[in-house]
C-alpha cells in the first residue's frame, strides 16, 4: 500500500456553470487506522447530478458541501485494513467515501457502509443499476408513477443512469415506455438496446411545437405517467399531453442545475387533467432499499436489466467527467475508475 493518496476538494462555488477551478486535487498521507476504524481502498467513484446542487451555498434538502473539504460522493471498494469487529480485509463495500482514493471509516461511518456480494453483481453496478440510481428509478416508478399494464410512461434523460432503468422497469410492468434523450445515438441505444417502445431526440425538436408533435407520435394514447429528470421544455411538453389522473414523479430538474430557470409555462393541464405531481428524495426512503435492490440485482444478474457505464480513468479525471455528465456526455452511469 502506498504511503500517500489523492483526494479532490471543493475550493470555490460556481457562479452559473460549474468549472474545473472549483476543484483542487491534492496528495496527502494515507490515514493510520485506529481502534474501531477501518480503511477502504476505493475502486469506483460515482458521479451524480446531485453533487452540482451541493456545490451551491443554498437552502436545499441537504446542507451544502463545505469548502476545503473532500467532495461528497458514493464509492465502491475494498476494505484493506480493519480494526472494526464488523469488517475484515477483503470485504467489498459501498459507501459515501467521497472523491478520494482511500477513506478512513470510524464507528459511526461503519454503520453506513454496506458489504456487498460481487459474485452475482459486479462491484461497479452497486453504484448504478443496483445502487442509488436504480433504487431511485424503482421508487419513483413503483410508488409515484404506479403504472398499470397498458399505460404509457414517459421518462426524460432516458439514456442516463436513472432513466435507462425506469423505462425497462415500465416495460417489465406491461407499459409502453417512451424515452426523451439528447441525440440520435442515445435514442438508438434507448430503443435498440434497452427496448423502449419509442425515444424522442429533444435536440432534434427545436421548439415547443416540434416537441409536442414528436410526443403525440410516440404516445398516441396520451401519457399516463411521467418520470421527470430534466424540467424545462421537456416537462412542459409532457404536461400538455397527460391523460386524466396522470402521475408525475419529479425526480430531477437537471436543466436548471446551473441556474437556468425551469418554469412550468403551462400549468393548466395539471388542474384540468387532475394530475398528481410529487417530488421525492431517495435518501428519505431507506425502507424500500432492500426490496428494490433485490429486484434490480436479480434483473442485472439474469441479464434482463441492461445498463451501460461511461468510465473516466483515475481520480484526476473526476472534475472534467463531472462537468461532462452535466452536459450530457455520458451514456448510462458515469463512473470514475480509481483502482
Ligand atoms: N430525487 C432523487 O432522489 C434523485 C436521485 C438520483 C438522481 N436524481 C436526478 O435524476 C436525474 C438523472 O440522474 P442520473 O444520475 O441518472 O444522471 P444521468 O441521466 O446519467 O446524466 C444526466 C443526463 O441529464 C441530461 N441533461 C443534462 N442537461 C440537460 C438539459 N439541459 N436538458 C435535458 N437533459 C439534460 C443529459 O442527457 P441528454 O444527453 O439526454 O440530455 C445527461 O446525460 C437528475 O436530474 C438527478 O438529479 C434524483
Amino acid at each position: 500500500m502506498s504511503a500517500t493518496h489523492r483526494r479532490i476538494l471543493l475550493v470555490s462555488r460556481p457562479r452559473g456553470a460549474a468549472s474545473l477551478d472549483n476543484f483542487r486535487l491534492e496528495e496527502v498521507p494515507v490515514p493510520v487506522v485506529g481502534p474501531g476504524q477501518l480503511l477502504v481502498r476505493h475502486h469506483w467513484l460515482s458521479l451524480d447530478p446531485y453533487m452540482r446542487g451541493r456545490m451551491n451555498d443554498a437552502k436545499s434538502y441537504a446542507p451544502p458541501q463545505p469548502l476545503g473539504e473532500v467532495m461528497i460522493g458514493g464509492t465502491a471498494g475494498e476494505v484493506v485494513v480493519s480494526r472494526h469487529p464488523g469488517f475484515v480485509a477483503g470485504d467489498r463495500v459501498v459507501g459515501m467515501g467521497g472523491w478520494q482514493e482511500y477513506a478512513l471509516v470510524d464507528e459511526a461511518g461503519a454503520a453506513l457502509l454496506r458489504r456487498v456480494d460481487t459474485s452475482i453483481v459486479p462491484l461497479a453496478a452497486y453504484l448504478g443499476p443496483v445502487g442509488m440510481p436504480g433504487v431511485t428509478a424503482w421508487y419513483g416508478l413503483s410508488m409515484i408513477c404506479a403504472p398499470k399494464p397498458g399505460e404509457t410512461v414517459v421518462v426524460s434523460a432516458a439514456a442516463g443512469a436513472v432513466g435507462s432503468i425506469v423505462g425497462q422497469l415500465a416495460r417489465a410492468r406491461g407499459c409502453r415506455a417512451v424515452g426523451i434523450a439528447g441525440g440520435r445515438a442515445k435514442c438508438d441505444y434507448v430503443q435498440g438496446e434497452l427496448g423502449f417502445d419509442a425515444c424522442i431526440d429533444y435536440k432534434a425538436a427545436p421548439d415547443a411545437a416540434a416537441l409536442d408533435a414528436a410526443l403525440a407520435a410516440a404516445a398516441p394514447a396520451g401519457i399516463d405517467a411521467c418520470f421527470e429528470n430534466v424540467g424545462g421544455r421537456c416537462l412542459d411538453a409532457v404536461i400538455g399531453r397527460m391523460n386524466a389522473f396522470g402521475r408525475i414523479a419529479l425526480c430531477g430538474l437537471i436543466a436548471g442545475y446551473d441556474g437556468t430557470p425551469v418554469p412550468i409555462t403551462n400549468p393548466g393541464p395539471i388542474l384540468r387533467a387532475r394530475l398528481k405531481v410529487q417530488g421525492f428524495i431517495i435518501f428519505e426512503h431507506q425502507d424500500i432499499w432492500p426490496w428494490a435492490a433485490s429486484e434490480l440485482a436479480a434483473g442485472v444478474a439474469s441479464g434482463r436489466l441492461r445498463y451501460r457505464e461511461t468510465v473516466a480513468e483515475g481520480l484526476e479525471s473526476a472534475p472534467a467527467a463531472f462537468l461532462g455528465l452535466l452536459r450530457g456526455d455520458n451514456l448510462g452511469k458515469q463512473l470514475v475508475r480509481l483502482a
Side-chain angles (χ1 to χ4, degrees), residues 154-208:
V154 173
V155 56
S156 51
V162 174
S164 59
I165 304 301
V166 171
Q168 293 183 82
L169 293 179
R171 288 272 309 158
R173 286 153 172 65
C175 300
R176 178 174 177 79
V178 176
I180 302 178
R184 196 61 256 158
K186 285 194 177 185
C187 280
D188 287 347
Y189 162 65
V190 165
Q191 261 190 280
E193 199 169 313
L194 302 180
F196 284 43
D197 297 280
C199 185
I200 296 164
D201 172 7
Y202 72 88
K203 290 183 176 167
D207 54 28

Side-chain angles (χ1 to χ4, degrees), residues 38-42 75-79 87-88 90-95 105 113-116 118 123 126-127:
L38 59 119
L39 185 68
V40 179
R41 182 177 189 197
H42 294 152
T75 44
E78 180 182 354
V79 175
F87 292 88
V88 295
D91 281 349
R92 300 289 162 138
V93 290
V94 175
V105 181
L113 207 59
R114 240 170 2 110
R115 193 183 297 101
V116 294
T118 54
L123 182 61
Y126 286 100
L127 298 175

Side-chain angles (χ1 to χ4, degrees), residues 49 136 160-162 182 186 202 229-230 251-252 257 280 282 325-326 328 330:
T136 299
V162 174
K186 285 194 177 185
Y202 72 88
N229 285 321
V230 169
C251 174
Y257 289 0
F280 71 100
I282 197 57
L325 168 75
L326 297 174
N330 62 307

